[in-house]
Amino acid sequence: VAELCQPEIPEFSEQVEVQPKGKGSLKVQMDELWSFVEHKGNKQWVWLALDVDTREIIGCYIGDRSTGSAQKLWESLPAVYRQCAFAIQISGRLAAEVLPSKRHQAVGKETGKTSYIERLNCTLRQRVSRLVRKTLSFSKKLENHIGAIWHFIHHYNSSLPKLDPFLFRTTEKTISDFEKAADLYKEQGNKKWYQNSLDRLKELRNN
């Protein structure tokens, strides 16, 4: 009866497939999502990383809520992101202990800077029934739990529109444009947009 209720899920590669990216300005949002297997005492945290520009899921790890799991998430990112990306994460110390300090910012939900990854968390719970907080569809086996999540990730990424990787390269002109914008906002006394331009310039120069 158990096998009929929850058949084995085919194996899927636990490695993301993303569109080609040039080295340049890459922005990532990161978060972890609570789930469980068999009973709520067996917590399995779904660690996720999302490309802000393409909306691709670029990294995933399923395990406990520890520094080791944060490290596994970082290692799951394609090399170009580990070299160039600036990561924004919902406030927490675990990822901060793993990510390069100059390319990481922990923020609160109220800032709006993690809206894409929070939206993805909602989508994941809607599409994968075993992740709904109160459900009879919960996973009985960890292998099936992981397989269902990776099945969603591959399907989700493959359904996104293909974009020109040139769009994500940082050029001298891009930096120059933001410098001019910052100067203009400073002259106008627009402190909010002046600071936004400075923050963006810092991200571009770090990459």
Side-chain angles (χ1 to χ4, degrees):
V1 176
E3 292 182 358
L4 291 175
C5 293
Q6 193 169 61
E8 294 289 337
I9 293 178
E11 291 187 6
F12 289 91
S13 169
E14 294 183 17
Q15 184 66 46
V16 293
E17 297 179 5
V18 298
Q19 301 174 39
K21 306 291 189 311
K23 291 184 178 180
S25 177
L26 297 171
K27 292 187 294 180
V28 175
Q29 292 182 6
M30 308 173 76
D31 194 18
E32 60 265 27
L33 176 75
W34 176 84
S35 70
F36 69 94
V37 173
E38 196 171 3
H39 58 85
K40 291 188 176 180
N42 184 15
K43 297 178 182 178
Q44 298 295 326
W45 291 86
V46 184
W47 294 74
L48 295 165
L50 181 79
D51 186 307
V52 172
D53 292 312
T54 66
R55 307 293 194 275
E56 293 170 294
I57 301 172
I58 60 168
C60 177
Y61 180 74
I62 299 148
D64 60 6
R65 201 179 197 187
S66 67
T67 304
S69 293
Q71 179 67 42
K72 291 288 187 181
L73 174 66
W74 176 248
E75 293 172 356
S76 74
L77 270 60
V80 67
Y81 287 94
R82 295 198 302 273
Q83 294 169 6
C84 302
F86 182 84
I88 297 176
Q89 176 223 2
I90 294 176
S91 294
R93 63 176 180 81
L94 296 176
E97 295 177 5
V98 173
L99 302 177
S101 59
K102 293 183 179 180
R103 291 166 43 210
H104 168 251
Q105 180 185 11
V107 299
K109 293 183 179 181
E110 69 280 358
T111 63
K113 293 183 178 181
T114 57
S115 58
Y116 297 134
I117 191 71
E118 291 178 60
R119 173 64 259 179
L120 176 64
N121 287 345
C122 292
T123 300
L124 194 56
R125 289 199 187 279
Q126 291 293 320
R127 301 275 187 89
V128 185
S129 61
R130 61 190 71 215
L131 295 180
V132 177
R133 293 181 182 275
K134 295 182 179 180
T135 179
L136 295 177
S137 303
F138 59 86
S139 301
K140 281 73 174 179
K141 294 181 179 180
L142 180 59
E143 294 82 2
N144 283 358
H145 193 70
I146 294 173
I149 292 169
W150 275 103
H151 174 70
F152 166 82
I153 289 173
H154 290 303
H155 180 268
Y156 180 88
N157 280 353
S158 66
S159 67
L160 294 171
K162 303 301 180 185
L163 301 174
D164 185 350
F166 178 78
L167 295 174
F168 311 108
R169 296 175 187 167
T170 301
T171 64
E172 292 298 325
K173 185 178 185 305
T174 305
I175 294 175
S176 175
D177 289 344
F178 273 96
E179 287 174 341
K180 291 176 182 177
D183 290 339
L184 178 61
Y185 292 133
K186 185 177 181 179
E187 290 175 5
Q188 294 175 346
N190 191 328
K191 295 181 180 179
K192 177 181 177 181
W193 285 103
Y194 173 63
Q195 187 58 50
N196 285 345
S197 298
L198 292 182
D199 291 342
R200 184 59 176 144
L201 274 169
K202 182 178 178 181
E203 292 176 16
L204 293 172
R205 286 166 176 159
N206 285 339
N207 291 329

